[in-house]
Amino acid sequence: MLLMTYDLVQNGDNQLNTEIKEALINRGWSDCARYWVKPFNRIMEDSTPSTTLWKQGDDQEEGCSDFEIVCTRYNIQHLKEKRRAIGKVVCVNHEDACYVKLE
């Protein structure tokens, strides 16, 4: 499983994060977190933090490349407004399982 988190420099476009997130979801990333809750003995669903996504796979370079592609596409689409998507991305490969502590 690949886990991606990113941070964008705000450029005055209040839809920047939404556009980038939707573009990444269109590339196969997900913002839906499914996890097992032992006391209730069932699977729960929730959304990930706003700039965190996950995808099946193991190639961190793919995650960084996807982020670069959607930012470049955003930059081309908003060339007239002189708005750019600039940011940082971290993509981590978790093998078969991911352990998260929720507080």
Side-chain angles (χ1 to χ4, degrees), residues 2 4 6 12-13 17 23 25 32-34 41 45 48 52 57 59-60 62 71 73 76 79 85 87 97 103:
L2 293 174
M4 171 196 291
Y6 58 91
D13 180 357
N17 284 324
I25 289 171
C32 180
R34 292 176 191 90
N41 201 26
E45 287 190 15
T48 61
T52 302
D59 185 1
Q60 297 99 322
E62 177 186 1
C71 286
R73 187 175 299 145
I76 291 168
L79 193 60
E103 294 182 7

Side-chain angles (χ1 to χ4, degrees), residues 46-96:
D46 200 354
S47 60
T48 61
S50 63
T51 58
T52 302
L53 300 167
W54 70 274
K55 182 179 190 178
Q56 291 296 332
D58 61 359
D59 185 1
Q60 297 99 322
E61 289 182 30
E62 177 186 1
C64 294
S65 176
D66 283 350
F67 181 75
E68 184 177 5
I69 288 167
V70 299
C71 286
T72 300
R73 187 175 299 145
Y74 175 93
N75 294 342
I76 291 168
Q77 291 172 341
H78 296 276
L79 193 60
K80 288 183 182 179
E81 299 100 355
K82 297 182 181 178
R83 292 189 173 155
R84 296 184 42 84
I86 300 170
K88 300 172 189 164
V89 64
V90 175
C91 193
V92 179
N93 173 12
H94 292 276
E95 294 188 355
D96 294 327

Side-chain angles (χ1 to χ4, degrees), residues 4-21:
M4 171 196 291
T5 186
Y6 58 91
D7 183 32
L8 295 164
V9 176
Q10 295 304 303
N11 65 5
D13 180 357
N14 62 359
Q15 293 299 310
L16 172 64
N17 284 324
T18 302
E19 284 190 46
I20 296 299
K21 184 175 185 174

